[in-house]
Amino acid sequence: MSVLQIQNVSKSFGNLRAVEDVSIALDQGDNLAIIGESGCGKTTLAKMIMGLAKPDTGFIKAQYYSVQMVFQDPNQSLDPLWNVWGILKEALWRKGALPPQDIQKRIEQMLVAVGLSPQVLQRFPHEFSGGERQRIAIARALLADPQVLVLDEAVSALDTLVQKQIIDLLKKLKQDFNLTYIFISHNLRLVRNFSDKIVVMYQGKIVEEGRTQSVLSAPAHPYTQQLLQAAFYTNFRNL
Amino acid sequence: MKIKINRTGLLCFWVLMVLYGLAIFADFICPYAYQDENRDFSYCPPTAVEFQDQGRWVRPFVYGRALTFNAIHRRVYVIDHTQKYPLHFLKGGRLFGVDAPGRFYLWGADARGRDLFSRIWYGARISLSIGLLGVGISFILGLLIGGIAGYYGGWVDNILMRVCEMFMMIPGFYLMLALRAAVPENFNSVQVYISVVVILSLIGWASLARIIRGMALSLRERDFVLAAKTLGVPDIVIIFKHILPQTISFSCATLMLTVSSYILAEAGLSVVGLGIQDPIPSWGNLLSDAMGIVPVIFAPWILLPGLFIFIAVVCFNVIGDSLRDAFDPMFNEKG
Ligand SMILES: Nc1ncnc2c1ncn2[C@@H]1O[C@H](COP(=O)(O)OP(=O)(O)O)[C@@H](O)[C@H]1O
Ligand SMILES: [Mg+2]
């Protein structure tokens, strides 16, 4: 069952073609990785998926509010002036007026689901580590009951060890909440044991796509080969 | 959220609290009502309080005074040692005073023999409240319009900013005079007060709106705003919940600086006779008595309202500055 359809989407900023003729179809339960170096248009594509930017041409089809996003930098994505309670409560906005106990229960359950204690509700973002902040951001996205989660460099700002913890958490959440992932990263190593499908972007265009196994074992495009080399040359068995 | 304000700022805060306290309790603290006049005591100098009578400690009292004229027809008040008026406290709902026909002028009298001390604290009610109210309106306008213009951008921004520029084009004082000219002449004192508040608020909002708009323009691209958008939070809620609170450090500091400029503006209007009208006192129209050189030379105490304008303005400015300092490190720390 298709949950998200991206059809021939392009977006330019002046002369710069940030995203060019990108088509992706996503089925329920997919775990798709979008790989590409910085500046190749990944965030622009993610913003268009979220409806935060309008494609110049092409269209994106998804159910209203069925897609949520986790941003790259948890320092930026959580309002520094709001505590965890305020931040998470906002995710229930579209649910309308819920009884207060209900809100409390949902938020606390979600905090536990992402591995945080319900006691952190009164704390502010700057009182958490990067990994914890990203867990809060994930909790916020999931509270909105999405079908699809767009993870834009969601672990890139974290240390390797914390990266692994968050990746493990994401694997667990995918099962628990029956999610579909778009995992955006510049790091091939991260997606090797995580995603089932890979899309490789280069200068706004898709240059290669396929199942993770086949792309990694037999990369067709020279850019993918380059990426692979860069990722695994030094430390092949990591992760 | 903890705000640590520095010591000078704290001192100024308490000075202001005292001024506001005196203004609020003027009915109790002042010996006379603001319109209570006695032409026999025109420009009567400050009254000395006597504690000793013929070398003995007695209950504090004041001597009576008699108005005479000297060789060049200047007023001279001679102390009449036969008349003694004991100071009484907490009589008739006032903190202190003397019985008629005695008059007690702690800080001297004006041309009509009205007690300057009393008029200063009744005037403080006007002068200290008018700036705050004006700033209140300016801020609601400035934050709302700046927030909306910056957040939406595009043609909304264009229209709102052109309106701002229209207000900013005209120098503040002339704008004030022009707006004052539009106010009907037959207004009563309350209506004049309200129109002065509105006039003041119209001078400051535009520059604030422009700065807030600039901040909103960059804030709307921040990830936490984008996150709120994807959650389906309405724009106006985002503006109030995420955009405007980020401008708080700037806003609070500016708020204080604007209060002081409004206090000065009210004084300016009143000094030229266009603000609050006599007999109701404001620091500005009290100071307008000191426009001539002669009264200032022979009754220098009528400059006192100027001192209080100065104190209030300095205090608001210092608090504004220290608030800015207090907010700064916190925001740096959070990145
Ligand atoms: N709002 C914008 N205005 C102008 N150029 C932009 C804007 N957003 C992104 N770009 C440009 O588009 C290109 C792709 O950016 P982005 O999608 O953020 O890349 P990635 O997320 O893959 O690092 C970059 O060259 C970037 O400078
Ligand atoms: Mg990016």
Side-chain angles (χ1 to χ4, degrees):
Chain A
M1 192 185 71
S2 170
V3 285
L4 178 73
Q5 197 189 350
I6 301 169
Q7 195 72 53
N8 304 108
V9 162
S10 301
K11 173 103 186 161
S12 307
F13 298 106
N15 284 331
L16 178 85
R17 297 178 163 193
V19 173
E20 212 178 333
D21 198 27
V22 167
S23 301
I24 295 169
L26 212 59
D27 287 332
Q28 164 69 40
D30 272 357
N31 190 349
L32 174 82
I34 298 179
I35 298 292
E37 65 193 354
S38 287
C40 73
K42 305 181 302 287
T43 298
T44 308
L45 181 63
K47 283 186 178 167
M48 286 192 287
I49 295 172
M50 297 311 300
L52 294 169
K54 249 177 117 154
D56 295 339
T57 60
F59 64 88
I60 290 163
K61 232 165 53 187
Q63 246 178 56
Y64 263 117
Y65 294 112
S66 68
V67 189
Q68 279 299 321
M69 176 159 166
V70 176
F71 293 82
Q72 168 164 9
D73 183 357
N75 299 327
Q76 299 289 325
S77 68
L78 306 175
D79 190 329
L81 298 179
W82 287 84
N83 62 15
V84 175
W85 170 256
I87 289 168
L88 293 183
K89 211 175 123 200
E90 193 170 57
L92 298 169
W93 182 271
R94 276 188 327 104
K95 305 240 174 335
L98 294 171
Q101 319 90 285
D102 204 12
I103 296 177
Q104 177 99 21
K105 211 180 85 194
R106 281 180 193 228
I107 289 179
E108 284 181 359
Q109 279 173 352
M110 190 56 76
L111 277 176
V112 173
V114 300
L116 289 170
S117 145
Q119 268 131 44
V120 302
L121 280 174
Q122 298 308 318
R123 282 162 60 184
F124 287 85
H126 72 273
E127 298 171 71
F128 292 93
S129 70
E132 288 170 323
R133 267 178 253 182
Q134 205 55 297
R135 285 172 196 262
I136 296 170
I138 293 168
R140 172 174 63 185
L142 293 183
L143 274 169
D145 285 341
Q147 286 180 288
V148 182
L149 201 56
V150 178
L151 301 145
D152 184 11
E153 308 263 19
V155 297
S156 302
L158 309 174
D159 316 337
T160 339
L161 199 63
V162 185
Q163 275 184 347
K164 180 150 168 31
Q165 291 168 356
I166 299 288
I167 296 268
D168 288 344
L169 172 71
L170 288 171
K171 281 182 186 164
K172 178 178 94 73
L173 292 172
K174 187 169 183 304
Q175 301 269 306
D176 294 353
F177 291 91
N178 196 16
L179 293 165
T180 306
Y181 281 162
I182 299 180
F183 187 88
I184 297 175
S185 178
H186 61 267
N187 190 347
L188 262 179
R189 268 202 304 215
L190 284 174
V191 304
R192 195 157 70 121
N193 296 319
F194 184 67
S195 303
D196 353 292
K197 284 201 229 162
I198 289 187
V199 165
V200 181
M201 275 179 80
Y202 180 61
Q203 294 188 344
K205 288 191 279 279
I206 294 180
V207 293
E208 180 156 6
E209 57 189 314
R211 303 209 60 79
T212 310
Q213 287 303 322
S214 49
V215 171
L216 291 189
S217 53
H221 196 274
Y223 177 67
T224 318
Q225 292 163 1
Q226 235 180 348
L227 273 180
L228 257 173
Q229 254 183 1
F232 297 109
Y233 180 69
T234 44
N235 197 351
F236 192 76
R237 281 183 299 165
N238 202 341
L239 271 177
Chain B
M1 207 164 64
K2 280 200 202 81
I3 302 163
K4 241 179 100 66
I5 195 169
N6 65 28
R7 273 202 207 156
T8 348
L10 210 59
L11 177 74
C12 286
F13 172 78
W14 286 112
V15 170
L16 280 181
M17 283 299 109
V18 169
L19 290 183
Y20 275 95
L22 288 167
I24 289 166
F25 296 109
D27 285 323
F28 172 64
I29 284 146
C30 302
Y32 298 105
Y34 62 85
Q35 72 278 46
D36 189 336
E37 63 179 59
N38 188 333
R39 304 272 172 142
D40 294 340
F41 292 91
S42 175
Y43 290 125
C44 180
T47 318
V49 180
E50 309 290 335
F51 295 95
Q52 287 188 319
D53 192 14
Q54 287 141 11
R56 277 189 309 120
W57 288 91
V58 293
R59 179 174 171 179
F61 67 93
V62 299
Y63 285 116
R65 310 220 187 172
L67 175 59
T68 60
F69 290 89
N70 67 9
I72 52 163
H73 304 287
R74 287 260 179 267
R75 285 188 193 82
V76 176
Y77 285 92
V78 288
I79 292 175
D80 179 353
H81 287 274
T82 61
Q83 292 175 28
K84 290 174 194 162
Y85 301 99
L87 224 52
H88 52 65
F89 296 93
L90 301 173
K91 190 172 167 191
R94 298 204 176 259
L95 181 60
F96 61 92
V98 298
D99 284 326
R103 295 284 282 181
F104 180 44
Y105 295 115
L106 192 61
W107 290 346
D110 68 1
R112 288 153 68 174
R114 295 177 296 197
D115 177 30
L116 194 61
F117 178 82
S118 303
R119 284 177 66 76
I120 282 176
W121 298 119
Y122 279 106
R125 288 182 168 179
I126 304 274
S127 293
L128 291 177
S129 66
I130 227 164
L132 277 190
L133 283 178
V135 161
I137 298 176
S138 283
F139 262 70
I140 294 168
L141 276 177
L143 288 179
L144 201 62
I145 291 178
I148 288 173
Y151 182 77
Y152 287 107
W155 62 269
V156 179
D157 182 30
N158 241 317
I159 290 174
L160 291 176
M161 284 306 105
R162 296 301 86 76
V163 174
C164 281
E165 278 154 18
M166 269 162 54
F167 276 87
M168 291 173 72
M169 234 163 46
I170 315 165
F173 199 72
Y174 294 100
L175 177 62
M176 227 162 53
L177 294 183
L179 289 168
R180 185 66 177 87
V183 173
E185 294 215 352
N186 58 353
F187 267 16
N188 65 31
S189 50
V190 177
Q191 287 167 322
V192 169
Y193 178 84
I194 292 169
S195 48
V196 172
V197 169
V198 172
I199 289 170
L200 289 178
S201 65
L202 289 179
I203 26 177
W205 73 272
S207 56
L208 179 72
R210 278 198 73 92
I211 298 168
I212 297 294
R213 173 245 182 205
M215 294 178 160
L217 209 55
S218 78
L219 284 166
R220 70 173 181 169
E221 302 294 339
R222 297 276 293 272
D223 284 350
F224 59 81
V225 172
L226 299 180
K229 271 192 193 173
T230 64
L231 292 166
V233 180
D235 291 342
I236 195 75
V237 177
I238 293 181
I239 291 174
F240 277 102
K241 196 179 158 180
H242 294 297
I243 305 268
L244 295 182
Q246 304 294 322
T247 69
I248 190 157
S249 66
F250 170 80
S251 301
C252 281
T254 314
L255 193 104
M256 294 297 148
L257 303 178
T258 315
V259 173
S260 64
S261 74
Y262 283 8
I263 288 174
L264 279 177
E266 181 275 326
L269 261 189
S270 296
V271 163
V272 298
L274 293 172
I276 304 302
Q277 303 293 313
D278 204 66
I280 295 171
S282 78
W283 288 350
N285 74 16
L286 287 176
L287 203 56
S288 71
D289 287 349
M291 289 259 271
I293 191 74
V294 176
V296 172
I297 289 171
F298 293 99
W301 51 88
I302 61 174
L303 287 172
L304 264 176
L307 176 68
F308 286 101
I309 293 174
F310 175 77
I311 291 173
V313 166
V314 167
C315 284
F316 274 113
N317 280 334
V318 170
I319 292 174
D321 275 345
S322 50
L323 270 181
R324 201 166 41 200
D325 295 347
F327 274 114
D328 248 358
M330 191 180 84
F331 275 78
N332 291 342
E333 173 195 275
K334 282 184 189 173

